Amino acid sequence: MPAQPKRNLTKSNAQFQKAVKRLPLGVASTFRYWGDDRTIYVHHGKGGRTWDIDGNAYVDYRLGYGPAILGYADDRVDAAARKGMEVGGVFALSTERELAVAERIAKMVPAAELVRFSNSGTEAVMSALRLARAHTGRDSYLLVEGGYHGLFDAAMWMANLEEWNPKSNHDPEVVSYGKGIPMTLKQLAHLVPMNDCQRLEDTFRKHGHSLAAMLIEPIQGNCCAISARKDYVELARKLCDEYGVLLIIDEVKTGFRVGKGGVQGLLGVMPDITTFAKAMGNGYPIAVVAGREAVMRTFRYGGASHGGTYTAHSVSLAAAEECLRILDETPALETLASYGERLKTGISQILSDRNITHSFSGHPSMFGTFFAETPPDNYRDWKTSDYSFYDQMAYHLHDLGIIVEPDSREPWFMCEAHGLDETCLTGTLKAVQTAVDLTLEHFEDEAKRA
């Protein structure tokens, strides 16, 4: 068996001890805390790699949860951003570039007839739900279990599978993601399991006439890239039309990543409203809510409110213009998807050589790995599956210079720079092989102690 890898985190640990005195958990976002002695602080990133303040180099498959679709510090996008600085920042007025970027988005995404800009995925989805309520005059909405639509109160509801008996005839209780969410909002949120067409029909029959919108991530960006079947999304479109409900396809993670037209383009389903964010600016903060003209015109005085001081900031807008041009006019998406396929093939070979049952979910540009014959097709099946092998493997990968989310729910993200640097693939597969062997050893030792 390989020796246990060691990684020097002396500087990161010292930084944590200082930071925790001023920042909750020592970080600016809760999900960046990986433990008192394993939280890392980045020095810089370039291409498909990240370096921490201790000098450790990593092949990075988190990519900021997906935004760095071309790679960190892409020279082309950064040059465009610098030109955006010359415009002057924010004015509480508009610039010509807003239309140029909106035209590019409309060209790539047929459903994006009209466009409004936001600063983050959370803001975009929040605006999309407000728009749907304003347009329909209804308040309640439908979520798909396992979906994630940002950190705002209306979207932070989930199925409580911890205390649910799968053999019961009842659905799991709907609970909030955490504390601080007003329970009065709970009555407005309805949840359905992914890919259960019968349950979807039943829910629409019961609540359809009171729903403003159905929100869905056809590839769940925070649940292992579990994917909706085409027939399920087509049924959702049909039922929304029948009951006067607006279909919101959340492409904050999939947009301009799984294809030029997003996952909706792959499925051939047109939403009423759609949201984009992460990949469109290669890491610069920008997002979009877009949709049918008749719906989007509800953004007006006396209609749905929308705005923001930093909306369509000159730097982010210039970065997005160049990033979208690259994704639309070059083979960048093919390059990163091809890399994802080769990475999956290599991982599969390593696991098969060790007789480890496995499968993949999602898209080559963002995929999840499961240690089962077939991946789950809904959140309930994932929650009741055994993901302990993945969690242990991820722990070792960090020490071996590969950054993946320690929580198995987050997919691995590919970028163009990965595909242009063959050492990313060879280095990753070497580390995966070692991590798998160490994980096998770990569980063998646990079995002996039991």
Side-chain angles (χ1 to χ4, degrees), residues 129-140 209-213 244 246 298:
L129 182 56
R130 183 187 305 124
L131 176 64
R133 286 168 161 166
H135 189 77
T136 62
R138 303 171 181 177
D139 292 334
S140 64
H209 292 294
S210 66
L211 297 175
L246 298 185
T298 308

Side-chain angles (χ1 to χ4, degrees), residues 7-87:
R7 176 173 47 134
N8 185 355
L9 291 177
T10 302
K11 291 183 179 179
S12 279
N13 289 340
Q15 178 66 23
F16 173 80
Q17 293 302 326
K18 290 186 292 185
V20 75
K21 296 175 182 178
R22 190 64 67 187
L23 302 166
L25 293 177
V27 292
S29 173
T30 299
F31 310 107
R32 300 173 192 175
Y33 171 75
W34 289 358
D36 289 8
D37 60 350
R38 291 181 71 85
T39 294
I40 65 173
Y41 292 85
V42 172
H43 182 272
H44 72 283
K46 182 65 177 176
R49 300 176 188 271
T50 299
W51 286 261
D52 66 24
I53 60 176
D54 287 282
N56 298 304
Y58 306 89
V59 180
D60 191 335
Y61 294 105
R62 286 172 86 244
L63 298 178
Y65 292 128
I69 192 164
L70 303 175
Y72 294 113
D74 182 84
D75 293 339
R76 300 160 294 181
V77 176
D78 287 353
R82 283 190 288 272
K83 290 182 180 179
M85 292 179 191
E86 298 172 3
V87 176

Side-chain angles (χ1 to χ4, degrees), residues 119-183:
N119 298 298
S120 69
T122 290
E123 284 186 36
V125 181
M126 185 166 57
S127 296
L129 182 56
R130 183 187 305 124
L131 176 64
R133 286 168 161 166
H135 189 77
T136 62
R138 303 171 181 177
D139 292 334
S140 64
Y141 50 97
L142 185 62
L143 304 171
V144 178
E145 293 175 3
Y148 177 77
H149 302 288
L151 291 171
F152 67 103
D153 290 352
M156 295 177 68
W157 299 98
M158 61 184 288
N160 182 11
L161 299 184
E162 302 290 346
E163 302 174 13
W164 176 64
N165 180 3
K167 297 181 181 179
S168 70
N169 293 322
H170 303 286
D171 283 332
E173 181 187 5
V174 175
V175 297
S176 64
Y177 279 118
K179 295 181 179 180
I181 312 301
M183 293 305 293

Side-chain angles (χ1 to χ4, degrees), residues 230-264:
K230 181 177 172 65
D231 67 305
Y232 183 79
V233 183
E234 288 176 339
L235 176 61
R237 174 71 277 174
K238 175 177 177 294
L239 291 169
C240 284
D241 288 340
E242 183 178 343
Y243 287 88
V245 179
L246 298 185
L247 178 63
I248 302 174
I249 293 186
D250 182 346
E251 299 239 32
V252 165
K253 285 194 173 179
T254 56
F256 311 117
R257 166 169 285 281
V258 302
K260 295 179 183 180
V263 69
Q264 58 193 267

